[in-house]
Amino acid sequence: MRRRAAPLALVGLALLALLAVGLWRLWPAASPGPARASEIGGPFSLIDQTGAAVDERRLLGRWTAVYFGYTNCPDVCPTTLIALAQAIDALGADSRRMQVLFITVDPERDSPAQLGRYLANPAFPRGALGLTGAPARVAAAAKAYRVYYRKAGAGAGYSVDHTSVIYLMDPRGQFARPLPAGAAPADLAHQIEDAIRRG
Ligand code: NI
């Protein structure tokens, strides 16, 4: 009996060690710390759903929620856009100081017309600008915002894995803070109000 306890104790110790390593590895991921403002955002050159050219100057003068996604996204993108719409509605008068840029990570399928149809959804933020462009220009915009995306699956029904963070930019076009895409509308509204109050 005693001889069997020793290996069991070793297994227990090994499990504890694994758990400790796991927690140590998770710790920095759970608290990444604020990204430096200068690291997020920058020049881009895209076109909106009407075919008009839009670049980073569009950020000036308003608070902007910048979100990268794609119109065929089955869940995260629509959920995020709906939450953002509800958050902006909850801002009251401040909602007029806000705009939303939805930048596609799927320029192959997301033409201006497709973005226009998608963003006409009454549950999405009113007046949201949908941006697309040549794949290289979309890639440059994503790089500026530290957004990762990658095509997954084959055929016409492919999906696109992508970073899902709403970047709140201030009226000078500088990164203010990230808004977690999974947050409830009330939390998003609170974060936006707090950022606006701090200017
Ligand atoms: Ni998505």
Side-chain angles (χ1 to χ4, degrees):
M1 285 306 176
R2 275 178 169 275
R3 292 184 68 85
R4 205 169 286 168
L8 273 180
L10 278 179
V11 168
L13 276 176
L15 284 176
L16 272 177
L18 277 175
L19 184 66
V21 168
L23 285 174
W24 178 78
R25 287 175 59 101
L26 276 177
W27 188 258
S31 53
R36 275 188 307 156
S38 57
E39 289 175 347
I40 307 238
F44 60 82
S45 181
L46 298 167
I47 51 172
D48 71 13
Q49 62 266 58
T50 70
V54 175
D55 63 25
E56 69 282 1
R57 288 172 296 180
R58 176 75 193 204
L59 301 182
L60 301 178
R62 295 176 90 178
W63 289 84
T64 306
V66 177
Y67 185 72
F68 287 77
Y70 67 112
T71 67
N72 282 275
C73 182
D75 40 32
V76 178
C77 290
T79 306
T80 302
L81 287 170
I82 290 168
L84 193 54
Q86 292 174 353
I88 291 171
D89 281 347
L91 292 177
D94 277 342
S95 67
R96 289 195 294 272
R97 304 173 63 186
M98 284 283 305
Q99 64 181 349
V100 174
L101 300 192
F102 180 79
I103 303 178
T104 186
V105 290
D106 185 15
E108 221 174 286
R109 289 182 298 194
D110 285 345
S111 62
Q114 170 64 14
L115 283 166
R117 281 191 294 274
Y118 184 69
L119 293 173
N121 186 331
F124 290 173
R126 275 185 299 282
L129 224 51
L131 301 184
T132 187
R137 295 197 169 190
V138 166
K143 192 175 177 204
Y145 282 82
R146 301 293 185 266
V147 163
Y148 157 93
Y149 63 100
R150 176 182 274 182
K151 229 166 148 175
Y158 65 87
S159 59
V160 185
D161 297 333
H162 65 93
T163 305
S164 191
V165 174
I166 303 165
Y167 298 98
L168 185 62
M169 310 299 285
D170 72 19
R172 295 176 298 277
Q174 302 294 310
F175 174 64
R177 67 176 72 184
L179 306 174
D187 293 339
L188 292 175
H190 175 78
Q191 292 270 341
I192 294 169
E193 273 169 355
D194 186 58
I196 291 178
R197 209 168 45 238
R198 287 161 193 261

